[in-house]
């Protein structure tokens, strides 16, 4: 069976690809061919050299100034993208003179690309661009790339994300980013004989993704949102590398967790904690599903995280409850966590805003104004703690009005109940 790696496009989001690919390499996953679009073409060409290389250096060298001169950004976004300030008229004037120059990107790619290694490698390669002259897809295959310049031109044509870059000319034809075409991820790989596909996509978590599902054994796509395509802020690139590395572990079923990532050996601890959690919930006549907890995570994030089909999630209810608490407590999800330190970090952070129930609620006035959801959560926690896990009947109305926050308070109570055990882990 021919195994193919498929790398989607996404500009600076390619840092996520680097992280995910690092995990694939660490897990000794190998491929017979690689196809890519845009940043996927650049990373794919480097990977197809089949030689040890610091993949992070590929992204670390990418700043707005090292991608293009006068990199385009819409005026209302340029401050967040940290590019050289300019007005739209200046861009139009530059575009009329052949547009922003991609000379810096070409120079960067040529520094890291070893054509001899690429040519000697047994790994096949292809990248996708859009041929505007003929208004059709253009697939550049390894067999047709005879020189280093051929490869450079092919990947730059594939990465010509308009209007960030001007159209890329090759032999009198003009090309733009292959992402402008309605070509499903994996189609090119299948046409080259690929039978088993591993795909790294860079879509938004809520976005629809077209891919060759029937032939795909591994799909890695962002669970958490990534930065905009043209945001080359160094701190965001580094975080996205970590995110790609950690999320790949979960998609490969090598780590428990949903938006947070834990070590594989913690699985039994999570299963045990979930069983104990169910006992506490049953005692309180409460039924909570994983879907409801994920909705709670979505509410805290402000968007629905991407889907994850992992066997670990089936016995991960306590973990999802902890993840909700961790979000409220401001615990970083760009780290690889063991359960013990993770739980202790949550408890430590939560201690800063404990509220006594007697001071937080006037029983004659249920419409109490709280400083925020965290204070309300702390109120529920305090009430549960003061009443051995039962919320007094007079609080039923406020509980029903703020039920998601009540579940967070209950989760805090459960976590605190097992804190002695967790401190021993």
């Amino acid at each position: 069976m021919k195994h193919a790696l498929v790398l989607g496009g996404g500009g600076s989001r390619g840092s996520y690809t680097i992280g995910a690919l690092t995990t694939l390499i660490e897990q000794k996953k190998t491929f017979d061919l690689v196809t890519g679009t845009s940043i996927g073409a650049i990373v794919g060409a480097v990977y197809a050299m089949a030689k040890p290389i610091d993949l992070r250096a590929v992204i670390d060298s990418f700043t707005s100034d090292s991608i293009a001169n006068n990199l385009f950004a819409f005026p209302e976004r340029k401050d967040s993208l940290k590019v050289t300030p300019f007005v739209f008229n200046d861009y139009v004037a530059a575009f009329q003179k052949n547009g922003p120059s991609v000379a810096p990107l070409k120079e960067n790619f040529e520094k890291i690309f070893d054509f001899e290694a690429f040519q000697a490698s047994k790994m096949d390669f292809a990248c996708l661009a859009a041929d505007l002259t003929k208004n059709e897809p253009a697939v550049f295959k390894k067999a047709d790339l005879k020189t280093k310049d051929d490869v450079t031109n092919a990947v730059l044509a594939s990465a010509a994300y308009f209007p960030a870059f001007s159209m890329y000319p090759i032999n009198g034809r003009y090309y733009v980013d292959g992402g402008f075409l309605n070509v499903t991820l994996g189609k090119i790989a299948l046409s080259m004989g690929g039978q088993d596909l591993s795909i790294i996509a860079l879509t938004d978590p809520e976005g629809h993704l077209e891919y060759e599902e029937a032939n795909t054994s591994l799909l890695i796509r962002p669970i958490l949102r990534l930065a905009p395509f043209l945001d080359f802020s160094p701190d965001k690139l580094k975080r996205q590398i970590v995110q790609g590395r950690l999320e790949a572990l979960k998609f490969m079923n090598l780590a428990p967790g949903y938006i947070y990532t834990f070590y594989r050996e913690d699985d039994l601890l999570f299963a045990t904690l979930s069983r104990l959690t169910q006992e506490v919930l049953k005692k309180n006549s409460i039924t909570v599903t994983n879907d409801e907890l994920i909705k709670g995570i979505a509410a805290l994030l402000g968007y629905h995280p991407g889907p994850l089909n992992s066997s670990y999630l089936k016995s991960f209810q306590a973990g999802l409850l902890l993840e909700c608490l961790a979000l409220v407590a401001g615990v970083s999800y760009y780290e690889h966590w063991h359960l013990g330190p993770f739980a202790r970090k949550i408890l430590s952070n939560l201690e800063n805003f404990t509220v006594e129930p007697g001071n937080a609620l006037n029983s004659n006035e249920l419409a109490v104004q709280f400083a925020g959801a965290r204070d309300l959560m702390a109120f529920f926690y305090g009430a549960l703690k003061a009443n051995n896990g039962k919320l007094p009947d007079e609080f039923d109305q406020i509980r029903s009005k703020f039920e998601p926050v009540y579940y967070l308070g209950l989760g805090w109570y459960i976590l605190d109940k097992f804190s002695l055990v967790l401190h021993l882990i």
Side-chain angles (χ1 to χ4, degrees), residues 273-389:
L273 189 59
S274 290
R275 180 175 54 78
L276 295 172
T277 298
Q278 280 297 328
E279 292 176 3
V280 174
L281 294 176
K282 186 176 180 180
K283 180 181 177 182
N284 286 270
S285 302
I286 295 171
T287 301
V288 183
T289 66
N290 283 4
D291 286 342
E292 287 173 328
L293 290 172
I294 290 173
K295 285 180 182 177
I297 289 173
L300 291 168
L301 287 172
Y303 63 90
H304 201 291
L308 174 65
N309 183 16
S310 165
S311 64
Y312 288 110
L313 287 182
K314 296 173 184 176
S315 58
F316 193 65
Q317 188 171 78
L320 289 173
L321 201 53
L322 288 180
E323 290 195 18
C324 287
L325 289 172
L327 277 174
V328 175
V331 178
S332 171
Y333 33 66
Y334 295 106
E335 295 183 40
H336 203 168
W337 289 98
H338 276 296
L339 172 57
F342 181 71
R344 292 193 291 273
K345 178 67 173 176
I346 296 172
L347 285 170
S348 173
N349 287 9
L350 291 178
E351 285 174 0
N352 296 324
F353 53 88
T354 300
V355 178
E356 292 298 328
N359 298 328
L361 179 65
N362 181 338
S363 59
N364 296 321
E365 183 181 5
L366 291 175
V368 177
Q369 297 298 315
F370 294 93
R374 295 200 304 180
D375 289 340
L376 181 56
M377 180 190 73
F379 156 74
F380 282 128
Y381 160 75
L384 289 165
K385 189 173 182 180
N387 293 277
N388 296 317

Side-chain angles (χ1 to χ4, degrees), residues 17-27 55-56 241 245:
T17 300
I18 294 295
L21 191 51
T22 299
T23 292
L24 295 180
I25 293 171
E26 289 173 349
Q27 297 301 319
L55 287 169
R56 296 190 185 199
I241 290 174
R245 182 175 62 80

Side-chain angles (χ1 to χ4, degrees), residues 229-303:
F229 293 168
L230 299 180
D231 189 344
F232 288 91
S233 306
D235 58 333
K236 292 180 182 176
L237 295 180
K238 291 176 182 177
R239 285 203 302 266
Q240 288 176 172
I241 290 174
V242 174
Q243 182 182 338
R245 182 175 62 80
L246 295 177
E247 291 188 356
L249 287 171
K250 288 176 285 194
F251 282 107
M252 295 176 75
N253 218 36
L254 296 174
Y258 182 37
I259 66 167
Y260 289 90
T261 309
F262 303 93
Y263 285 91
R264 199 173 191 174
E265 54 265 33
D266 287 346
D267 182 43
L268 288 177
L269 292 172
F270 275 114
T272 301
L273 189 59
S274 290
R275 180 175 54 78
L276 295 172
T277 298
Q278 280 297 328
E279 292 176 3
V280 174
L281 294 176
K282 186 176 180 180
K283 180 181 177 182
N284 286 270
S285 302
I286 295 171
T287 301
V288 183
T289 66
N290 283 4
D291 286 342
E292 287 173 328
L293 290 172
I294 290 173
K295 285 180 182 177
I297 289 173
L300 291 168
L301 287 172
Y303 63 90

Side-chain angles (χ1 to χ4, degrees), residues 397-411:
Q397 187 175 340
I398 195 169
R399 169 188 161 178
S400 62
K401 186 175 181 180
F402 300 103
E403 194 157 41
V405 183
Y406 164 71
Y407 286 140
L408 290 175
L410 180 63

